[in-house]
Amino acid sequence: MIEGLQLRHHSADEAKEILDQLVGLYLEVYAGGGEFYSEDRYRRQLDLHMQRVGWELITASVDGALVGYIYGFPLPSQTRWWEGIHDPVPPGFTEEDGKRTFAISELLVHRAWRRKGIAAALHDELVAGRAEPRSTLLVRPDNVAAQMAYRSWGWNKVTKLRPNWETAPTFDVMVRTAPICPRPFI
C-alpha cells in the first residue's frame, strides 16, 4: 500500500465542505468523456445522492491531497436507480425496500495514482460491514480495467442499463452479494 494513504469516511454535511474538490477530481478523471460527464450534471447528481438516507463517502488522500473517492447509498423502496434497465432480469430483481441493495454510484482514482491499490482499498472500506445482502453498481462496458477489477472483487454482470439522464451512456449492471471475505494483500 502507499505510504501516507489515508481513507476517511464523510457524512453528507462533511462532504459539502469538500464538494469543489470532489467535482474537480471527477472532471479530471472524466475529461474528454463527453457531455454526460459535465460539471453541471455531476453537481446535480451529487446533490440528489447526498440527500439519500445512508449516503456514505470515503475519500483517499496522500499527504493531504485528494487522490480518489467512492460513495454510495442504500436503494429506497421508491428508487429510480433501476429505470432504464434492460430485460430480461430475474423476477423481483428491481424490488427494493431500503435494506436490500447498496448502490455504489462513483469509484474514481486520479490517473497518476491508479494501479496502486487505492481503488481496492476504497472499495473494501465501503462494502466492509454493509448490512445489505447485495450491492450494485454501473460500469461502462468499454472500461476494461474497471470491469476486470470488479470481477476480481466478486462482482457479476447481470444486464445493461441506460440511466434517465440526458446523454447518458449504456452501462453494465453489476451485482455483488455479501458477505465475501476480503482478499489478502499481495
Side-chain angles (χ1 to χ4, degrees):
M1 193 55 69
I2 298 169
E3 187 176 325
L5 176 67
Q6 292 186 317
L7 301 181
R8 180 169 176 233
H9 292 251
H10 302 264
S11 68
D13 286 339
E14 293 168 334
K16 289 175 186 173
E17 296 173 15
I18 60 167
L19 186 62
D20 289 340
Q21 290 178 58
L22 299 174
V23 172
L25 182 55
Y26 176 89
L27 294 174
E28 279 186 51
V29 167
Y30 291 107
E35 191 176 332
F36 178 72
Y37 299 99
S38 72
E39 179 175 353
D40 178 61
R41 192 213 52 86
Y42 189 59
R43 283 186 183 273
R44 286 183 286 133
Q45 174 184 306
L46 269 174
D47 182 56
L48 289 170
H49 288 174
M50 289 169 63
Q51 296 175 41
R52 304 281 186 231
V53 173
W55 184 88
E56 187 175 3
L57 166 74
I58 301 173
T59 57
S61 299
V62 177
D63 298 327
L66 181 67
V67 298
Y69 62 88
I70 187 171
Y71 82 80
F73 49 89
L75 295 179
S77 59
Q78 300 301 315
T79 187
R80 294 180 58 208
W81 180 272
W82 299 118
E83 289 180 11
I85 198 163
H86 296 190
D87 289 327
V89 294
F93 182 80
T94 61
E95 294 174 13
E96 300 297 343
D97 61 6
K99 297 176 184 165
R100 179 182 186 204
T101 308
F102 185 80
I104 295 177
S105 187
E106 292 295 337
L107 169 56
L108 50 94
V109 175
H110 188 282
R111 281 176 177 45
W113 292 95
R114 291 184 186 160
R115 308 227 188 292
K116 299 180 187 307
I118 295 173
L122 286 165
H123 171 271
D124 291 353
E125 184 73 15
L126 184 63
V127 300
R130 293 292 328 161
E132 299 84 5
R134 72 176 186 175
S135 296
T136 189
L137 57 79
L138 306 176
V139 62
R140 289 186 63 140
D142 61 351
N143 189 340
V144 176
Q147 293 266 353
M148 288 174 46
Y150 289 130
R151 282 192 181 93
S152 75
W153 300 339
W155 293 83
N156 295 298
K157 179 185 169 191
V158 175
T159 188
K160 294 188 175 288
L161 184 147
R162 185 175 180 278
N164 192 22
W165 288 92
E166 191 175 328
T167 71
T170 298
F171 294 94
D172 285 343
V173 175
M174 298 190 88
V175 171
R176 179 180 183 263
T177 56
I180 294 178
C181 295
R183 315 174 286 298
F185 288 99
I186 299 173

